[in-house]
C-alpha cells in the first residue's frame, strides 16, 4: 500500500510538546475528509488509503456495514503504518459513509445509470446517511462512533436530474450525490450532522481524538 504524505502544517511560533510531536494518519484518500479535518485545524501527517472490498454482506444492515468498513480501513492502515518507523506511534483515523433507504444500501455510483437510479429513489423522500469513525491511539486504545443523519430531498424534475447527471459530481459518491456541492440545492431538510453527510462528523471526530490524547486545539491560537 502506498503512503501519500499529507501537506505538512507549519509549526506555530514556539510550539513544543504534544502539539509538536503528535502524528496523525488519515486512512483515506478522500479530499473531502482531508478538507474537513483541515477545517478544524487538524493536518494529518500521512494519508494511508485502504483498498478493501466494500460489498455488503448478505443481510448486513447499513449500520453494520458502515461500522465494519471503518474498522477494516483502520486495520489496513494500521498494518501499513507498522512498516514505517516514523508512523508506528501515530494516531490512526478511519471513516466510512453509507446512504440507505430503509435497509436498502445505495451504491457509490460509478456510472450514470447507477446515479440516476439513486436520485430517482431519493427524489421527494427521506433517507438516512450513516458515517462511522474508528480511531486507534499510539497506546493501541480503540474507539469508534456512529453518526446517523436524516436527509430529505425535494421532488426532482427530469431537467434537474439530467443536469445533475451531466455535472459528473455524483461519480464515486454514496447515494449518487454530494451534499456539499450542487446537490445541496435538492435538500429541503437535514436532521443530524452536515459534516457527517459530507464524510466525517467533525464534533464526534474531534471528541474521539481529544479523548485519546491527541492535541486538537493546541494550534488554534496560531491560526488567528
Amino acid at each position: 500500500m502506498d503512503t501519500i504524505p499529507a501537506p505538512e502544517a507549519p509549526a506555530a511560533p514556539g510550539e513544543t510538546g504534544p502539539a509538536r510531536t503528535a502524528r496523525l494518519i488519515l486512512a483515506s484518500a478522500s479530499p473531502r475528509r482531508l478538507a474537513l479535518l483541515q477545517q478544524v485545524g487538524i493536518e494529518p501527517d500521512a494519508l494511508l488509503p485502504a483498498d478493501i472490498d466494500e460489498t455488503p454482506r448478505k443481510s448486513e444492515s447499513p449500520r453494520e456495514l458502515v461500522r465494519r468498513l471503518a474498522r477494516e480501513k483502520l486495520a489496513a492502515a494500521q498494518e501499513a503504518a507498522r512498516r514505517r518507523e516514523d508512523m508506528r506511534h501515530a494516531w490512526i483515523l478511519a471513516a466510512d459513509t453509507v446512504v440507505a433507504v430503509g435497509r436498502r444500501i445505495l451504491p457509490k455510483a460509478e456510472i450514470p445509470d447507477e446515479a440516476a437510479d439513486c436520485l430517482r429513489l431519493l427524489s421527494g423522500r427521506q433517507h438516512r446517511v450513516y458515517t462511522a469513525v474508528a480511531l486507534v491511539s499510539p497506546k493501541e486504545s480503540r474507539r469508534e462512533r456512529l453518526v446517523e443523519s436524516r436527509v430529505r430531498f425535494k421532488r426532482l424534475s427530469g431537467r434537474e436530474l439530467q443536469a445533475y447527471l451531466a455535472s459528473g459530481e455524483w461519480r464515486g459518491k454514496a447515494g449518487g450525490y454530494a451534499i456539499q456541492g450542487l446537490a445541496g440545492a435538492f435538500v429541503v431538510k437535514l436532521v443530524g450532522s452536515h459534516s457527517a453527510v459530507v464524510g466525517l462528523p467533525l464534533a464526534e471526530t474531534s471528541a474521539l481524538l481529544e479523548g485519546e490524547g491527541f492535541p486538537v486545539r493546541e494550534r488554534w491560537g496560531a491560526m488567528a
Side-chain angles (χ1 to χ4, degrees):
M1 183 182 299
D2 293 332
T3 301
I4 306 173
E8 186 172 337
E15 185 179 57
T16 59
R20 180 65 170 161
T21 60
R23 300 183 71 77
L24 175 67
I25 295 169
L26 177 61
S28 175
S30 167
R32 299 173 298 282
R33 291 193 175 108
L34 176 59
L36 284 167
L37 280 178
Q38 291 169 332
Q39 179 183 321
V40 291
I42 301 172
E43 194 72 60
D45 297 279
L47 308 180
L48 286 178
D51 183 16
I52 63 171
D53 182 1
E54 299 189 13
T55 305
R57 294 172 179 168
K58 185 178 180 180
S59 301
E60 192 170 36
S61 72
R63 286 173 171 268
E64 292 166 341
L65 173 64
V66 76
R67 282 194 178 109
R68 176 173 64 81
L69 295 181
R71 291 168 184 164
E72 289 183 1
K73 289 179 178 181
L74 183 66
Q78 188 176 21
E79 181 62 28
R82 286 181 179 139
R83 298 193 290 267
R84 287 260 317 254
E85 180 63 35
D86 59 335
M87 291 295 166
R88 289 180 184 172
H89 303 291
W91 285 258
I92 306 175
L93 181 71
D96 195 79
T97 300
V98 166
V99 175
V101 177
R103 286 183 62 90
R104 179 175 175 180
I105 297 167
L106 303 191
K108 293 181 179 177
E110 297 296 343
I111 59 174
D113 285 350
E114 277 187 326
D117 287 345
C118 289
L119 292 168
R120 291 190 186 101
L121 181 63
L122 299 178
S123 176
R125 68 188 300 175
Q126 178 177 277
H127 61 278
R128 295 176 189 265
V129 181
Y130 302 90
T131 296
V133 182
L135 174 72
V136 64
S137 75
K139 297 180 180 179
E140 300 286 319
S141 176
R142 296 173 183 272
R143 301 181 69 189
E144 61 181 58
R145 289 289 299 273
L146 174 66
V147 177
E148 176 184 333
S149 302
R150 288 174 286 164
V151 182
R152 180 178 290 278
F153 272 18
K154 62 183 261 187
R155 187 167 297 280
L156 304 180
S157 69
R159 291 181 64 185
E160 287 172 319
L161 178 60
Q162 291 306 314
Y164 191 68
L165 292 175
S167 76
E169 184 183 79
W170 48 268
R171 197 174 303 277
K173 307 298 193 302
Y177 76 92
I179 195 172
Q180 73 277 17
L182 301 172
F186 302 157
V187 177
V188 294
K189 187 175 183 180
L190 168 63
V191 179
S193 167
H194 183 274
S195 62
V197 179
V198 176
L200 192 70
L202 290 178
E204 291 80 3
T205 299
S206 296
L208 282 180
L209 286 165
E210 288 186 323
E212 290 302 325
F214 185 83
V216 173
R217 298 189 175 90
E218 271 71 358
R219 298 204 345 215
W220 281 12
M223 298 170 64

